[in-house]
Amino acid sequence: MNTLITPEQVQYYRENGFIVIDDFLNKAELEQWRLAVDEATKNRKGKALPDREEVIEGADRTFVNKVFDQMINLWQDNENVRDLILDQRLGKMAAQLSGVEGIRIWHDQALIKQPWGNPSTLHTDTPYWSFHHPAALSIWIALDDANTQNGCLYFLPGTHKYTNFRQAGFTVNMDEIFDIYPELKGIDPIAAVMKAGSCSFHCGLTIHGANANMTPYPRRAMTCAYMPEGAVFNGQRNVLAEAYYSSLKQGDILDRDLQNPLLFSRKTNL
């Protein structure tokens, strides 16, 4: 696993709000990730979350539902995915890029854009989560080649410096986010073309989206969102378990390891 982060990469990430890391996984590691994610998604039987009954399979296939199949927190109910996602080297990479002292897992998610899957609306991530922190970020690992034909990511560079925590919504309109940020509409997007085994990191406030899958083959990706240590609850449930959510009040620190494991801390991982 290529986990080395250079000062040049840190500078690029902080300036643009994203970075692509080629050849993140070697051939054997890529196969390990593919097998683990395929097994975990199959065993989930269409349930989006391990503790809820909502399913993907058989759901009303509206435009938004056909953007991708999304299965969240596979680390919680699959041992092989848990071993991969809880690798402290991933947390160290995230901490180095974002400049925070510690990193917790917010949630992982398999994102499978099915053949002829719809494009995803331009959006930011953090407004939908149960905390608001400008340094939150995600890793996106390509399990298949991701290109302009099958729905690779597109990033609007530098937009993390201007966005806030207002939700724009996921609709059929690719440009709805510019109702909130009209001044950003003229920014040229950058296509994050990746070979299978490469990855990207992006800030939760960077505007991004994915094109349609114009092929008869699925495009698989495995992602994990990271929460800076010390982030506080904002009142939204999102992926929190019901009992934990009910116990929280706004302003509480989100530090329950069973929900959000501490993956890396500069205090203990020197």
Side-chain angles (χ1 to χ4, degrees):
M1 188 184 296
N2 176 20
T3 60
L4 177 65
I5 297 293
T6 67
E8 292 76 18
Q9 288 174 314
V10 171
Q11 181 180 3
Y12 183 94
Y13 172 83
R14 295 185 187 177
E15 177 64 26
N16 293 282
F18 77 96
I19 191 167
V20 173
I21 300 175
D22 294 323
D23 300 317
F24 171 64
L25 303 176
N26 63 34
K27 186 175 181 180
E29 290 165 340
L30 173 60
E31 186 61 20
Q32 182 184 16
W33 279 79
R34 283 172 167 171
L35 289 173
V37 172
D38 285 349
E39 174 193 61
T41 54
K42 180 180 179 180
N43 291 345
R44 187 63 72 81
K45 300 184 185 303
K47 290 177 61 176
L49 282 153
D51 60 339
R52 304 182 202 181
E53 295 304 317
E54 295 91 340
V55 298
I56 297 169
E57 297 172 1
D60 178 22
R61 303 305 277 180
T62 63
F63 183 95
V64 174
N65 286 334
K66 291 186 70 176
V67 170
F68 46 59
D69 291 346
Q70 179 184 37
M71 296 186 190
I72 301 170
N73 278 342
L74 295 171
W75 75 266
Q76 292 183 345
D77 57 7
N78 184 276
E79 183 176 351
N80 292 325
V81 171
R82 183 182 303 115
D83 289 342
L84 297 173
I85 292 296
L86 269 63
D87 189 327
Q88 72 175 34
R89 292 176 295 175
L90 301 180
K92 183 177 181 180
M93 294 174 75
Q96 288 175 303
L97 289 169
S98 61
V100 301
E101 290 298 307
I103 283 289
R104 290 184 178 272
I105 290 175
W106 178 240
H107 65 66
D108 70 31
Q109 55 181 344
L111 298 176
I112 304 170
K113 189 176 284 290
Q114 297 292 354
W116 316 113
N118 291 335
S120 61
T121 305
L122 288 170
H123 64 282
T124 55
D125 296 334
T126 317
Y128 299 91
W129 298 339
S130 303
F131 66 96
H132 290 158
H133 197 296
L137 71 166
S138 295
I139 188 173
W140 195 100
I141 302 170
L143 301 182
D144 300 303
D145 290 348
N147 52 51
T148 56
Q149 188 176 11
N150 71 355
C152 70
L153 291 172
Y154 285 78
F155 296 106
L156 270 61
T159 48
H160 63 303
K161 300 175 183 178
Y162 305 101
T163 57
N164 55 45
F165 299 112
R166 183 176 172 185
Q167 295 182 2
F170 289 89
T171 71
V172 299
N173 299 317
M174 284 291 291
D175 62 349
E176 182 175 315
I177 199 165
F178 298 123
D179 292 342
I180 300 176
Y181 308 110
E183 70 280 8
L184 303 180
K185 193 171 186 177
I187 295 176
D188 287 329
I190 295 177
V193 174
M194 286 183 260
K195 296 182 298 182
S198 296
C199 76
S200 64
F201 283 87
H202 67 268
C203 175
L205 290 175
T206 300
I207 297 175
H208 63 286
N211 217 338
N213 182 359
M214 297 298 292
T215 77
Y217 312 103
R219 186 230 65 192
R220 296 170 295 172
M222 186 61 188
T223 78
C224 189
Y226 298 114
M227 175 177 66
E229 188 178 12
V232 301
F233 180 54
N234 64 14
Q236 299 180 140
R237 181 182 178 189
N238 193 236
V239 300
L240 296 177
E242 175 61 33
Y244 183 38
Y245 169 70
S246 299
S247 72
L248 292 167
K249 61 181 184 299
Q250 289 193 36
D252 285 348
I253 294 177
L254 295 169
D255 59 359
R256 184 171 184 259
D257 288 324
L258 289 176
Q259 178 77 55
N260 304 115
L262 181 62
L263 195 58
F264 175 82
S265 173
R266 297 183 192 276
K267 300 172 185 176
T268 55
N269 300 93
L270 301 177

